[in-house]
């Protein structure tokens, strides 16, 4: 049992924290990082902060269902409650071996997170947690229990209490307190309570059955029915309001056989494999829409495990390649400047529909690809007055990477992103529609849910897809309060995030046919050879709480990191505490930060990059090698039997139009596509040479004729800027243009036999003549043919959007070690025993200033800064330097922040004192004029 000062049980949470080791305090700060902002000055401040409503709510939200049920049971138990009482509330009269086995771990978790304190014989729930979890008329308890007899009878007249005692055949008393105690004793006595209920009418028992599991409140009329009146007469129903009665907690517990919860859940539900007869054709069947036309059906149950794994990896690799091609196609579509940015930010619905049509996907899938490219830093706004979206310079660097490396960058960006594409099209709290790339798509829990989903998938055998309902049930067990407003429903945020995660993982190629792939597993490992789940398949979170040493996720834990001990003081960094003092050797400057770069998933940036490299290495053998050839066919098509080398693919996309995609891509040559290649600077001979060099089949004669025919007409007409003009050596061609009715909108006029002028600009004139069936070429002011190439519009260098974390970032080991030392040292300064200072009598030969200073120093025992005169301060520190003793000082730094410190002076000279600071655990120099006062210690801490 924890003991407070002097070997007595702790009386407050602060005293309980003082008994904790450095490792325990570090674990508390890791699990509840909001307590670290800013670093508390001492343990009393840490305890106060741990009891604030916002912090307690956040801590309760991160409990699993059974740990939360344990806290709820403690909230309805008498305070303080022995461990046996808590166990009885959870197991009931019949007992439950599973609950008894899981309860010590739940109590340990609550104690480690400072939600309960005290020994096993006196367990106390933090006051704020009790207020949140205890039942009240306005806030029913999840247990379904009502108020106690003492609470329900508050304000009841003594006469009414005596009537209840008489009806229950209890001895009368004229003391209301003893009357309530007598009634409570009756309801908690199993034998006497059973005898009382044996005399109850059947209808009265039916009323109790409806109230026993909650809600415990019921409405009554001014003339209640006989069964209800029988219950009211005996106190089994007590008045809550003039028209409402409530079932007392003690009576309900008797009817429940002592159990606080109807269905305790001490063990996390298993994630079941998906069966072939219930699995759908999408990536898990959780979301309403499909996963973008992905490979669907489940794997055959008769297939071997190795074959299933191979099929999953092949399917996921194919989808990974499709993901890369889709991102490239999106960037190509926005290459010359994408859609305009809305005034409120984001993409308009019209532009989203146009982008979806260009990608040949649904709007929801297009929203995912756009958000993924934006999250990876490949798309951004250009910052121009007419702001548009465009690829970033990082996109060009991304294209230079190998296919596995490009995929790894997309996958790691998706895994850590808080932006949630699934919200597009829904409405916010003000009724505004959320737009793609808009400002309100960040959801803090998204990275945690994504990683947790993949970890749960990794607990299944290789090649096995999960049953969606069992997966959701496991998520709800791990975080029951995150969807408290819609508990048990599939439309709360975490359930929707899970559905979106399964579909997005399938589209991205992290999973295949609903099962996690080999390269998807590699994304989860923190170090080579480390499994993201425990050997018993319970997942990293359960493994960590069970002491298995696995990585902790979702509860603020980080893997492979242990808090620094007090001996690690040579970091050369700084930590700013709540008093404003900067201390070296602490591991932080200013407020809390992510230290080693912890991402939203709990991984450092280096760990995430290493995981991406491992995933790319696993994926590389699964992706097809790019090809350097196509198959030309007589119907003016070219078949690419696989991915093409980038130069080949780029030129082919200019000279031909994509007709269909799939395992093979079909390109079709048309007069327009050939003219497009000629406009880009290719000649007819260049196209012939290109096709002969890259075709495994002879160039078909129709294709050769098409190229020669378009090239013969190309450039026959020349268009320049006059506003615009047309010139041609063949007067008959110009006569044909003027005679065509379609040329009327161009407002052409003959200036010479071979020259026409137009009011339209050159671009409009070129498009108009091409619509009429001609093949004009633009020329420069010098009369040279202008080669038109696509203008690649790029934004200025942009960084990828930073994730919006769900609460404060998880502190790293350096920060935890420094913070624990700072808190304990500050607590030492605040609680160290000091020699009492006697205030002299008025008749003593001292000045009024000296008397006031002595009185102020005496008041320092109440937590105030010591106050002494300059002469007394100098004399005391000089004496301490000579004797080598420690003293307690008050200090005000340059920013005006006051603090208390325990120092051992070494040297006093030149208006400065050099001393070993027990608070900072290092030697420091203090100006004497900033020391408010000094007092000797009763016991030297050195």
């Amino acid at each position: 049992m924890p003991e407070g000062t002097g070997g007595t049980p702790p009386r407050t949470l602060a005293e309980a924290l003082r008994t904790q080791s450095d490792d325990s305090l570090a674990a508390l700060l890791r699990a509840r990082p909001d307590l670290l902002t800013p670093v508390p000055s001492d343990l009393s401040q840490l305890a106060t902060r741990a009891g604030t409503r916002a912090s307690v709510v956040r801590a309760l939200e991160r409990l699993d269902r059974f740990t939360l049920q344990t806290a709820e049971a403690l909230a309805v138990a008498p305070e303080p409650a022995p461990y046996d009482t808590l166990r009885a509330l959870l197991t009931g009269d019949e007992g439950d071996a599973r609950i008894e086995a899981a309860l010590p771990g739940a109590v340990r978790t609550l104690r480690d997170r400072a939600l309960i304190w005290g020994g096993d014989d006196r367990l106390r729930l933090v006051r704020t947690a009790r207020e949140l979890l205890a039942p009240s008329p306005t806030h029913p308890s999840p247990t379904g229990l009502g108020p106690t007899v003492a609470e329900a009878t508050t304000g009841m007249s003594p006469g009414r209490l005596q009537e209840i005692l008489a009806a229950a055949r209890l001895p009368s008393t004229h003391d209301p307190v003893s009357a309530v105690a007598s009634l409570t004793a009756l309801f908690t006595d199993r034998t006497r309570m059973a005898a009382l209920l044996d005399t109850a009418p059947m209808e009265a028992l039916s009323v109790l059955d409806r109230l026993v599991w909650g809600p415990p409140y019921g409405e009554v009329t001014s003339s209640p029915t006989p069964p209800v009146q029988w219950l009211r007469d005996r106190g089994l129903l007590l008045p809550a309001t003039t028209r409402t009665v409530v079932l007392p907690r003690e009576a309900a517990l008797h009817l429940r056989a002592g159990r606080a919860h109807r269905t305790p859940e001490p063990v996390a539900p298993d994630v079941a494999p998906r069966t072939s007869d219930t699995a759908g054709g999408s990536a898990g069947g959780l979301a309403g829409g499909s996963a973008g036309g992905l490979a669907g059906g489940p794997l055959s149950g008769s297939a071997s495990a190795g074959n299933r794994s191979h099929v999953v990896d092949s399917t996921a690799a194919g989808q990974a390649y499709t993901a890369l091609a889709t991102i490239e196609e999106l960037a190509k579509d926005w290459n010359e400047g994408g859609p305009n940015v809305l005034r409120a930010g984001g993409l308009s619905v019209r532009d989203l529909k146009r982008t979806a049509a260009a990608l040949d996907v649904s709007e929801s899938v297009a929203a995912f690809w756009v958000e993924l490219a934006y999250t990876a830093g490949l798309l951004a706004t250009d910052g121009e007055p007419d702001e548009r979206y465009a690829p970033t310079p990082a996109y060009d660097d991304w294209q230079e990477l190998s296919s596995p490396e490009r995929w790894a960058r997309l996958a790691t960006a998706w895994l850590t992103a808080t932006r949630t594409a699934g919200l597009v099209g829904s409405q916010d709290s003000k009724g505004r529609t959320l737009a793609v790339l808009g400002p309100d798509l960040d959801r803090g829990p998204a990275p945690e849910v994504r990683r947790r989903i993949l970890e749960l998938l990794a607990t299944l055998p290789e090649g096995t897809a999960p049953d969606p309902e069992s997966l959701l049930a496991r998520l709800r067990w791990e975080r029951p309060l995150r969807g408290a407003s819609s508990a048990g429903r599939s439309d709360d945020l975490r359930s929707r995030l899970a559905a979106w995660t399964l579909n997005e993982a399938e589209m991205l190629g992290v999973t295949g046919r609903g099962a996690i792939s080999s390269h998807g597993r590699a994304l989860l490992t923190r170090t080579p050879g480390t499994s993201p789940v425990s050997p018993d398949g319970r997942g990293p979170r359960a493994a960590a709480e069970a002491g298995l040493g696995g990585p902790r996720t979702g509860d603020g834990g980080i893997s492979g990191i242990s808090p620094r001990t007090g001996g690690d003081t040579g970091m050369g960094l700084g930590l700013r505490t709540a008093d404003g003092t900067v201390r070296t050797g602490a591991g932080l400057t200013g407020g809390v930060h992510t230290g080693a770069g912890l991402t939203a998933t709990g991984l450092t940036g280096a760990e995430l990059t290493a995981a991406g490299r491992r995933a790319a290495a696993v994926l590389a053998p699964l992706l097809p090698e790019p090809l350097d050839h196509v198959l030309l066919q007589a119907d003016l098509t070219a078949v690419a039997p696989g991915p093409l080398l980038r130069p080949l693919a780029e030129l082919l996309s200019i000279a031909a139009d994509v007709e269909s995609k799939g395992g093979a891509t079909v390109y079709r040559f048309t007069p327009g596509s050939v003219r497009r290649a000629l406009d880009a600077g290719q000649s007819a001979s260049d196209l012939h040479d290109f096709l002969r060099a890259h075709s495994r089949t002879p160039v078909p004669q129709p294709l050769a004729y098409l190229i020669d025919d378009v090239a013969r007409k190309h450039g026959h007409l020349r268009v320049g800027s006059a506003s615009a003009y047309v010139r041609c050596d063949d007067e008959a061609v110009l006569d044909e243009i003027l005679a065509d009715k379609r040329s009327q909108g161009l407002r052409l006029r003959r200036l010479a036999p071979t020259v026409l002028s137009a009011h339209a600009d050159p671009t409009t004139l070129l498009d108009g003549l091409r619509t009429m069936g001609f093949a004009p070429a633009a020329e420069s002011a010098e009369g040279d043919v202008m080669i038109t190439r696509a203008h690649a519009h790029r934004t200025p260098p942009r960084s990828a959007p930073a994730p919006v974390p769900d609460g404060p970032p998880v502190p790293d080991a350096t920060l935890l070690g420094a913070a624990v030392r700072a808190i304990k040292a500050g607590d030492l300064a605040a609680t160290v025993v000091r020699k009492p200072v006697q205030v002299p009598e008025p008749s003593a030969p001292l000045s009024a200033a000296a008397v006031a200073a002595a009185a102020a120093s005496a008041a320092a025992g109440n937590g105030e800064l010591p106050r002494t005169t300059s002469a007394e301060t100098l004399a005391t520190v000089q004496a301490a330097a000579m004797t080598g003793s420690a003293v307690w000082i008050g200090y005000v730094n340059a920013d005006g922040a006051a603090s208390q410190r325990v120092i051992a002076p070494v040297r006093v000279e030149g208006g400065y004192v050099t001393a070993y600071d027990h608070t900072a655990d290092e030697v420091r120099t203090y100006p004497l004029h900033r020391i408010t006062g000094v007092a000797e210690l009763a016991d030297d801490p050195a």
Side-chain angles (χ1 to χ4, degrees):
M1 179 183 71
E3 292 184 351
T5 57
T8 60
R11 295 168 298 176
T12 63
L13 177 59
E15 289 188 4
L17 291 177
R18 290 189 179 98
T19 66
Q20 301 295 317
S21 64
D22 288 358
D23 290 347
S24 298
L25 290 176
L28 168 62
L29 297 176
R30 184 185 297 117
R32 298 178 63 177
D34 56 295
L35 302 180
L36 207 54
T37 310
V39 178
S41 60
D42 53 38
L43 289 173
S44 295
Q45 189 179 56
L46 176 63
T48 301
R49 195 176 296 173
T52 59
R53 184 181 180 87
S55 181
V56 171
V57 168
R58 183 177 296 277
L60 291 175
E61 285 182 345
R62 305 191 74 83
L63 297 177
D64 61 56
R65 189 180 301 279
F66 182 67
T67 306
L68 183 61
Q69 287 180 334
T70 302
E72 292 166 352
L74 200 56
V76 298
E79 189 180 32
Y83 179 85
D84 292 340
T85 300
L86 176 62
R87 179 177 56 194
L89 284 171
L90 289 168
T91 61
D93 297 342
E94 298 178 356
D96 190 320
R98 296 188 308 161
I99 294 178
E100 293 181 3
L103 185 56
V107 172
R108 182 171 58 252
T109 298
L110 293 173
R111 183 178 281 128
D112 290 345
R113 301 189 186 186
L115 291 173
I116 65 173
W117 55 277
D120 286 348
D121 59 337
R122 296 176 63 85
L123 292 175
R124 294 179 181 271
L125 196 62
V126 173
R127 180 181 302 175
T128 308
R130 176 173 288 274
E131 293 173 354
L132 290 170
L133 299 177
S136 67
T138 58
H139 179 73
S141 168
T143 61
L145 292 171
T148 63
V149 172
E151 294 169 346
T153 56
T154 301
M156 184 177 289
S157 65
R160 176 57 184 151
L161 284 173
Q162 297 305 316
E163 292 176 0
I164 293 176
L165 293 180
R169 299 181 180 179
L170 294 175
S172 62
T173 173
H174 298 289
D175 181 5
V177 175
S178 59
V180 170
S182 178
L183 191 60
T184 302
L186 169 65
F187 291 164
T188 54
D189 188 317
R190 292 285 190 268
T191 303
R192 291 195 294 159
M193 187 65 173
L196 176 63
L197 293 177
D198 287 341
T199 63
M202 293 299 299
E203 294 81 0
L205 297 178
S206 299
V207 173
L208 294 178
D209 289 341
R210 290 196 296 270
L211 300 177
V212 64
W213 292 110
Y217 294 91
E219 292 187 0
V220 294
T221 62
S222 56
S223 301
T225 61
V228 172
Q229 187 62 46
W230 190 93
L231 295 172
R232 293 184 63 180
D233 292 342
R234 288 154 182 80
L236 292 172
L237 291 180
L238 294 173
T241 64
T242 56
R243 297 180 57 85
T244 307
V245 292
V246 63
L247 177 64
R249 185 183 307 171
E250 294 84 353
L253 286 173
H254 173 83
L255 296 170
R256 297 179 177 195
R259 284 185 292 152
H261 294 86
R262 189 170 197 166
T263 309
E265 299 182 50
V267 180
D270 293 328
V271 179
R274 186 175 65 188
T275 56
S276 58
D277 56 338
T278 60
S282 65
L286 283 177
S290 67
L294 307 178
L299 300 174
S300 172
S302 61
S304 64
N307 185 48
R308 290 199 306 268
S309 178
H310 175 72
V311 172
V312 166
D313 288 347
S314 299
T315 304
Q319 193 57 40
Y321 176 77
T322 302
L324 298 179
T326 304
I327 295 295
E328 290 180 350
E329 190 173 352
L330 173 64
K332 186 182 300 182
D333 185 51
W334 292 9
N335 195 47
E336 298 184 44
N340 289 323
V341 181
L342 293 175
R343 183 181 303 175
L347 204 64
S348 67
V349 175
R350 180 183 59 187
D351 289 329
L352 177 60
K353 290 181 178 180
R354 191 194 64 78
T355 301
L359 299 180
D360 193 22
V361 295
S362 65
E363 293 175 26
S364 60
V365 175
F368 167 69
W369 293 122
V370 171
E371 283 288 344
L372 178 62
Y374 176 69
T375 298
L378 308 181
L379 295 176
T381 57
D382 58 10
E384 299 293 334
D386 183 20
E387 198 170 24
R388 308 173 72 89
Y389 290 104
T392 63
Y395 171 75
D396 299 320
D397 298 334
W398 178 77
Q399 277 195 307
E400 297 301 321
L401 301 174
S402 65
S403 295
E405 290 173 331
R406 285 187 289 149
W407 178 87
R409 178 163 174 183
L410 294 179
T412 53
W414 168 77
L415 193 61
T416 59
T418 55
R419 295 190 63 84
T420 309
L423 293 171
V424 171
S426 61
Q427 294 184 337
D428 62 9
S429 57
K430 297 182 179 179
R432 296 174 298 193
T433 301
L434 299 178
V436 184
L437 302 180
D440 301 319
L441 293 182
D442 286 289
R443 295 297 182 270
E448 177 195 341
V449 172
R450 290 194 192 105
R451 184 172 184 86
R452 190 60 187 143
I453 285 289
L454 297 184
E455 287 174 342
L456 292 175
L457 293 181
T459 63
L460 297 173
E462 293 186 359
T464 304
D467 174 65
E469 292 304 323
S470 66
L471 192 64
L472 285 181
R474 177 62 173 264
L475 284 180
R476 295 192 191 105
W477 187 90
E478 292 183 351
R479 292 288 185 273
L481 279 188
R482 281 304 174 96
S485 61
S486 54
R489 293 167 51 183
S490 60
D491 59 349
D492 61 277
L493 178 59
R494 287 181 65 86
S495 297
R496 288 183 293 158
L497 286 173
W500 296 330
T501 295
L502 289 174
N503 279 335
E504 292 168 1
E506 193 82 11
M507 286 190 286
L508 192 54
V510 178
T511 61
R513 294 179 176 251
I516 191 169
S517 61
S518 298
H519 45 279
R521 292 176 185 269
L523 278 176
L524 303 178
T525 55
R526 298 170 186 264
T527 55
T530 301
S531 173
V533 293
S534 63
D536 60 356
R538 287 186 289 174
R541 182 175 179 277
E545 292 187 354
L548 298 178
R552 295 173 64 89
T553 59
D555 58 354
I558 48 181
S559 172
I561 298 177
S562 59
R564 289 178 53 198
T565 60
D568 294 337
T569 58
M571 292 300 296
L573 303 175
L575 179 100
R576 185 179 300 276
T577 59
D579 64 2
T581 305
V582 177
R583 296 183 290 107
T584 59
L588 178 70
T589 301
V592 176
H593 67 151
T594 54
L598 287 175
T599 63
T601 57
L603 293 175
T604 64
E607 288 176 328
L608 191 63
T609 302
R613 291 197 189 102
R614 289 192 294 271
V618 174
L619 177 62
L622 301 173
L623 291 177
E625 290 291 334
L627 304 177
D628 61 352
H629 65 273
V630 294
L631 304 176
L632 295 178
Q633 302 186 105
D635 60 349
L636 299 181
T637 60
V639 178
L644 301 176
L645 292 172
R646 180 169 291 111
L648 174 59
E650 289 178 351
L651 185 53
L652 197 59
S653 65
I654 296 174
D657 298 324
V658 176
E659 188 171 82
S660 65
K661 298 179 181 180
T665 304
V666 178
Y667 296 87
R668 178 167 294 280
F669 293 92
T670 64
S673 67
V674 174
R675 179 193 53 75
R676 189 168 63 233
L678 296 175
D679 288 343
Q682 301 292 324
S683 64
S685 59
D686 292 337
L687 290 177
H688 285 302
D689 293 341
F690 167 75
L691 295 176
R692 281 194 296 268
H694 294 94
S695 176
R696 290 291 178 87
T697 58
V699 178
Q701 193 176 54
L703 179 56
Y705 286 168
L706 174 65
I707 294 174
D708 293 337
D709 186 53
V710 174
R712 186 167 48 252
K713 298 178 181 179
H714 186 264
H716 195 47
L717 294 176
R718 301 294 182 88
V719 175
S721 56
S723 288
Y725 64 84
V726 182
R727 70 179 180 88
C728 181
D729 296 335
D730 190 347
E731 298 180 20
V733 174
L734 297 183
D735 292 338
E736 182 182 352
I737 292 174
L738 289 173
D740 196 323
K741 293 182 178 180
R742 291 175 292 178
S743 67
Q744 293 179 358
L746 301 177
R747 301 177 66 184
L748 297 173
R749 183 169 62 89
R750 188 186 291 270
L751 300 179
T754 59
V755 180
L756 300 177
S757 68
H759 285 278
D761 60 89
T763 302
T764 304
L765 184 55
L766 280 169
D767 293 339
L769 292 176
R770 286 167 181 166
T771 303
M772 296 165 60
F774 298 96
E779 69 177 15
S780 65
E782 292 78 17
D784 299 325
V785 175
M786 296 177 61
I787 297 174
T788 57
R789 291 189 176 94
H791 173 63
H793 180 62
R794 292 292 181 266
T795 70
R798 295 275 195 262
S799 58
V804 179
D806 184 26
V810 178
D812 60 9
T814 302
L815 172 59
L816 287 174
V820 169
R821 291 196 302 275
I823 294 171
K824 299 200 79 171
D827 195 65
L828 171 64
T831 60
V832 69
V833 180
R834 295 168 294 268
K835 288 184 178 180
V837 178
Q838 300 295 331
V839 180
E841 297 294 331
S843 58
L846 289 177
S847 64
V851 174
S857 182
N862 297 326
E864 302 176 9
L865 292 179
R867 300 284 179 180
T868 57
T869 64
S870 299
E872 291 173 337
T873 298
L874 179 61
T876 305
V877 296
Q878 286 177 336
M882 288 187 294
T883 60
S885 59
V887 294
W888 177 64
I889 67 171
Y891 180 75
V892 179
N893 65 7
D895 296 329
S899 61
Q900 306 174 37
R901 300 183 173 277
V902 176
I903 65 172
V906 178
R907 183 173 61 255
V908 183
E909 61 182 8
Y912 291 86
V913 55
T914 302
Y916 176 76
D917 190 338
H918 289 272
T919 306
D921 197 17
E922 65 180 5
V923 175
R924 286 188 171 185
T925 299
Y926 296 98
L928 283 170
H929 68 276
R930 293 194 178 277
I931 298 178
T932 64
V934 61
E936 297 180 0
L937 304 180
D939 297 311
D940 186 357

